[in-house]
Amino acid sequence: MRDLDDAVLFVCGGGASRIVSDARIDNIPMEFVNPGRASDPTFSGPIASGDERAIGERLVGVRVVFAFAMLGGSSGTDMLQAVARVAKAAGCKVVAIAGIPMEFEHERRARAMDALHAILGQVDRTLLMDVGTVLDIRMDENSETKFDAFFRASAFASGFALRNLAYMVDGPFFSTFPERAYTFAYVNDIDPAHA
């Protein structure tokens, strides 16, 4: 499969950046956006600092924008919405990949759910990942802590989804996914409730 030259993945905020750094996504150009981390060289350019004009200039010739964020924090949540707004104004199709915080993170989860309503109205498709469900995957707790296993599983699931979504955009993506919002299933099971 070829690399995409008319799509770009915007990785918004610290949570998404940590996940993507372990996910080895190399089939789609990526831009990192995290204004709160300007001292980090990865986030030192105009796009990384959230400059909407620079983001718009980056979108020249782009057909589809993926915007990935773990919602609930300020940088990821705000930047996903900003990228979506700029991309729609540039005439791009926008696919949001959004992580929802775990249930015990009450304040972050409430902020994520509030933002989600706005995001659904801004984008063409939304793929939701409730990160709390990743903890339900069977993990080898003898080899690592459950917390480390959670991040490893999140990186794997997110990376797998992002790589494959990028390839699918080259085909009939929007007719294959006609609904506006979808969720991830992390395990295969004949019973849809379990999957």
Side-chain angles (χ1 to χ4, degrees):
M1 293 184 203
R2 70 177 182 82
D3 290 345
L4 295 174
D5 54 5
D6 63 349
V8 64
L9 167 62
F10 283 86
V11 181
C12 305
S17 296
R18 280 189 299 278
I19 287 172
V20 167
S21 68
D22 294 332
R24 295 186 357 221
I25 301 165
D26 54 10
N27 63 320
I28 184 169
M30 283 191 289
E31 299 289 346
F32 289 84
V33 186
N34 192 352
R37 299 276 311 272
S39 60
D40 183 330
T42 305
F43 303 104
S44 62
I47 289 175
S49 68
D51 182 322
E52 292 190 19
R53 188 166 62 181
I55 292 169
E57 290 170 1
R58 172 61 181 90
L59 297 177
V60 172
V62 171
R63 181 174 59 94
V64 180
V65 170
F66 290 97
F68 174 44
M70 301 305 289
L71 300 181
S74 57
S75 289
T77 304
D78 294 345
M79 287 293 87
L80 186 146
Q81 292 178 77
V83 166
R85 182 175 55 253
V86 172
K88 290 305 286 184
C92 301
K93 292 281 192 182
V94 182
V95 179
I97 299 96
I100 306 296
M102 291 180 265
E103 288 187 33
F104 68 81
E105 300 177 275
H106 303 291
E107 196 171 303
R108 290 175 61 91
R109 192 169 175 98
R111 182 169 169 24
M113 298 311 280
D114 287 344
L116 187 56
H117 293 289
I119 290 165
L120 288 170
Q122 289 180 294
V123 302
D124 297 289
R125 299 295 182 273
T126 303
L127 294 130
L128 299 174
M129 174 177 61
D130 189 335
V131 296
T133 62
V134 175
L135 289 173
D136 294 336
I137 300 172
R138 288 185 173 262
M139 299 178 200
D140 183 1
E141 294 186 36
N142 296 326
S143 64
E144 58 188 332
T145 67
K146 194 163 186 171
F147 189 70
D148 290 339
F150 160 72
F151 282 110
R152 185 176 51 81
S154 292
F156 176 81
S158 300
F160 179 80
L162 291 168
R163 279 190 301 277
N164 286 297
L165 288 170
Y167 283 130
M168 292 173 71
V169 160
D170 213 16
F173 179 89
F174 292 98
S175 59
T176 301
F177 293 99
E179 302 298 326
R180 292 190 60 87
Y182 293 86
T183 59
F184 288 94
Y186 298 103
V187 293
N188 291 324
D189 195 295
I190 197 163
D191 180 348
H194 290 122

